[in-house]
Amino acid sequence: MYNSSHDFTFAIVKPNAVKAGNTGPILAMINKAGFEITAMRMVKLTRAQASSFYDIHRGEEFFIPLIDYMTSGPVVVMILQHQTGNSVGRFRELMGPTDPSEAPEGTIRKLFAESPRMNAIHGADSKMNAEKESNFFFSGIERFYST
Ligand code: GDP
Ligand code: MG
């Protein structure tokens, strides 16, 4: 049964990474870093869906290019759980910073980002957003809870 105090994060393999055939290598890195995938689906976002998902960035100069990018091809959306109970923080570490030129070795963005916009991976930035973003894409019946 769903428990909102449950620890998890929400992630997206972005269009450039899917297109380049990097979904498999990214999923392998995610598993190797100790995350369990508890929901996953491939989807092509509409502009309305991408705009709603990134509503917080509406008005930024990179908003329209971001929506163009996020709707340019299919993405893989997923819910992840890390056994430490710090899924959000551990996944942000594994991703690396937004701008890949600042990303440390061993991060997903260091390996697979092409630019600050086409940066291969999304991860929720807080527990609240992990919850919100997970509910945007997945119903309860599509989620598998790990204890
Ligand atoms: P994230 O949490 O590290 O993904 O970064 P943000 O939430 O700040 O931004 C969301 C997404 O918008 C990023 O992952 C990029 O794809 C894009 N983005 C953010 N900042 C910039 C920027 O300064 N330039 C460009 N071109 N894209 C950006
Ligand atoms: Mg963000």
Side-chain angles (χ1 to χ4, degrees):
M1 194 56 202
Y2 180 63
N3 171 0
S4 65
S5 69
H6 215 102
D7 176 70
F8 58 86
T9 192
F10 174 81
I12 304 180
V13 182
K14 292 183 176 184
N16 69 303
V18 173
K19 214 167 276 177
N22 289 326
T23 304
I26 290 172
L27 294 181
M29 281 179 81
I30 289 171
N31 281 148
K32 209 165 182 183
F35 290 91
E36 193 171 339
I37 299 169
T38 57
M40 182 164 67
R41 187 184 331 110
M42 185 176 259
V43 57
K44 187 162 186 299
L45 299 177
T46 63
R47 294 191 75 84
Q49 287 167 336
S51 302
S52 168
F53 184 79
Y54 276 123
D55 194 55
I56 191 167
H57 294 304
R58 210 182 282 271
E60 305 267 11
E61 89 286 350
F62 63 82
F63 184 72
I64 299 293
L66 174 61
I67 301 310
D68 290 342
Y69 165 51
M70 289 302 292
T71 57
S72 66
V75 298
V76 176
V77 295
M78 60 194 136
I79 299 174
L80 305 172
Q81 286 185 218
H82 198 270
Q83 68 268 29
T84 53
N86 179 22
S87 298
V88 168
R90 293 299 281 258
F91 194 71
R92 295 290 304 190
E93 266 175 52
L94 180 62
M95 282 166 56
T98 312
D99 182 346
S101 69
E102 295 164 7
E105 293 296 334
T107 60
I108 294 174
R109 282 171 167 168
K110 174 74 180 184
L111 282 167
F112 300 114
E114 293 169 37
S115 70
R117 173 158 43 97
M118 294 168 66
N119 58 7
I121 190 86
H122 165 83
D125 61 6
S126 65
K127 280 189 92 138
M128 198 187 79
N129 284 335
E131 168 99 41
K132 208 169 124 185
E133 294 172 6
S134 296
N135 290 335
F136 189 87
F137 286 102
F138 294 104
S139 66
I141 203 167
E142 298 172 289
R143 301 171 62 164
F144 299 86
Y145 299 100
S146 180
T147 47

